[in-house]
Amino acid sequence: MDKFRMIFQFFQSNQESFMNGICGIMALASTQMYSAFDFNCPCLPHYNLAYGLGILLVPPFILFLLGFVLNNNISMLAEEWRRPQGQRGKDPAVLRYMFCSMAQRAMIAPAVWVSVTLLDGKCITCAFCTSVPVESLGNASHPRLSQGEIQRVLARIPCKEIYNGQQLIANEVAIRYLRCISQALGWSFVLLMTTLAFLVRSLRPCFSQAAFLKSRYWSHYIDIERKLFDETCAEHARSFAKVCIQQFFEGMSTDLVAARCHLPRKAPADAGEAAEKLLGITDQGTMNMALKSWHRCKPPLHLHPPALPTGNGWAGGEQPPMYPSAPRRETAAYYSWV
């Protein structure tokens, strides 16, 4: 249990670790889904190709979309992309980094599905059983069989119980031939994905490390800023609700006192603290205006100390130049009574 707790805490440490854990779980789920899937080839010439390629490509597309749906950054990316310009510019490099990061994680489960499917070989066997070279693997001179009849016989290769073309080509020979091709494609796909991942990880710092660090930093900043804004809004809503409830009960107690129902009245200790957390926003319209202002014109990413109110012409927080004071000259006067 301690190991699982440590793993769970690691996944919760930051957004990237959490999404990596989600993608790993989806990759394991994709293998379990394929192992539990009951593959039934239709064994018909015009349906085998559609069924085999559908099982090979449609579930990875669904898993890819599911990876985007489970990623919490997709809403943040859409919000950052669609928001008005306002007082803060939108950096296309940061948006591209966020999209590429989500796409890379979302591609893990589909890649696992395609690899497992190709290595198993059932989809390729079902899809391309009618393309088996009968001339080199079987008896192409089988009498009284038209091309359409040969296609119908070959389409039954994945279905051993109904296959009746042993005189044309042996079922085991055709299945082994197609499975070898499928496994070759599977290992080639795994090698290609591994090589691409290695090149991306190893060669990216050699070309654009500074731009990558900048995009990664501001991507994390947007995520942290959104979380802090949500936490601040939740804290303000809690304080607003607390003050509203306290005012409601104070009004009810005042009405009861006016009705000559003397009740013990005690001021709440945290009323002042809750009122301070409202930051001057004490009505619904002002809060809605603040939320719209945050969306339309976010503050610029420039931290500066507040300007000091001075009346001598120095503005913008600048300090007046300091000149060395000139030494004072002292004079002495002597008076004589002559």
Side-chain angles (χ1 to χ4, degrees):
M1 292 299 295
D2 295 337
K3 294 182 179 180
F4 286 107
R5 189 180 296 109
M6 292 176 59
I7 295 174
F8 187 71
Q9 291 176 357
F10 172 75
F11 286 158
Q12 285 186 329
S13 59
N14 53 55
Q15 182 70 13
E16 287 191 357
S17 299
F18 176 75
M19 291 313 306
N20 290 335
I22 291 295
C23 293
I25 294 174
M26 288 184 59
L28 294 176
S30 64
T31 57
Q32 293 296 324
M33 288 171 58
Y34 183 79
S35 61
F37 178 71
D38 189 11
F39 188 88
N40 293 314
C41 186
C43 295
L44 295 174
H46 301 290
Y47 298 96
N48 285 6
L49 182 62
Y51 183 81
L53 294 182
I55 297 300
L56 180 64
L57 300 177
V58 173
F61 180 72
I62 297 175
L63 292 174
F64 181 74
L65 295 181
L66 187 61
F68 271 101
V69 171
L70 294 179
N71 199 320
N72 296 328
N73 291 338
I74 186 64
S75 58
M76 182 177 63
L77 174 62
E79 179 183 353
E80 184 67 16
W81 179 50
R82 293 294 300 172
R83 72 172 177 84
Q85 189 76 13
Q87 299 181 7
R88 182 189 303 180
K90 293 183 286 187
D91 192 352
V94 178
L95 300 179
R96 285 195 301 268
Y97 171 80
M98 295 169 61
F99 178 79
C100 293
S101 179
M102 289 185 293
Q104 289 174 6
R105 292 186 175 92
M107 282 294 295
I108 296 177
V112 171
W113 178 277
V114 173
S115 302
V116 173
T117 305
L118 291 176
L119 292 175
D120 185 58
K122 293 180 181 178
C123 290
I124 298 298
T125 302
C126 179
F128 299 100
C129 58
T130 56
S131 302
V132 174
V134 183
E135 295 81 3
S136 58
L137 298 179
N139 184 14
S141 61
H142 191 71
R144 297 183 180 87
L145 281 180
S146 63
Q147 189 64 28
E149 292 176 348
I150 292 177
Q151 292 294 319
R152 283 194 296 270
V153 171
L154 295 178
R156 299 176 182 176
I157 289 177
C159 306
K160 296 182 180 180
E161 62 277 3
I162 62 174
Y163 181 69
N164 56 355
Q166 293 292 339
Q167 297 81 8
L168 182 64
I169 184 173
N171 182 269
E172 293 79 6
V173 174
I175 290 179
R176 181 166 297 186
Y177 171 79
L178 294 172
R179 184 166 294 177
C180 289
I181 295 176
S182 179
Q183 291 178 354
L185 293 175
W187 285 116
S188 300
F189 180 79
V190 173
L191 180 61
L192 177 63
M193 292 293 103
T194 307
T195 305
L196 289 178
F198 171 76
L199 292 177
V200 169
R201 288 288 186 177
S202 59
L203 297 181
R204 181 171 55 184
C206 301
F207 295 98
S208 59
Q209 180 66 11
F212 170 73
L213 291 176
K214 183 190 71 171
S215 302
R216 184 176 182 180
Y217 175 84
W218 290 116
S219 174
H220 290 176
Y221 173 83
I222 293 174
D223 184 24
I224 295 173
E225 184 187 51
R226 184 186 184 188
K227 290 180 180 179
L228 291 177
F229 184 78
D230 292 341
E231 293 176 0
T232 305
C233 290
E235 184 178 0
H236 185 276
R238 182 179 180 85
S239 302
F240 192 87
K242 184 181 294 185
V243 173
C244 285
I245 294 173
Q246 289 173 353
Q247 291 181 356
F248 169 75
F249 280 101
E250 287 177 0
M252 289 295 297
S253 62
T254 304
D255 294 341
L256 291 176
V257 169
R260 298 180 181 180
C261 297
H262 301 285
L263 297 176
R265 187 174 181 181
K266 183 179 180 180
D270 55 347
E273 180 181 358
E276 291 179 357
K277 293 182 180 179
L278 294 177
L279 301 176
I281 304 177
T282 56
D283 61 296
Q284 184 179 4
T286 308
M287 189 64 198
N288 292 337
M289 186 182 302
L291 295 176
K292 292 179 180 178
S293 177
W294 174 263
H295 173 69
R296 292 176 180 175
C297 50
K298 290 186 177 181
L301 300 177
H302 176 67
L303 304 180
H304 56 83
L308 297 177
T310 57
N312 56 0
W314 300 103
E318 299 179 357
Q319 297 294 334
M322 302 298 295
Y323 297 102
S325 59
R328 294 185 302 173
R329 299 177 61 184
E330 297 181 357
T331 58
Y334 297 94
Y335 299 93
S336 62
W337 296 88
V338 179

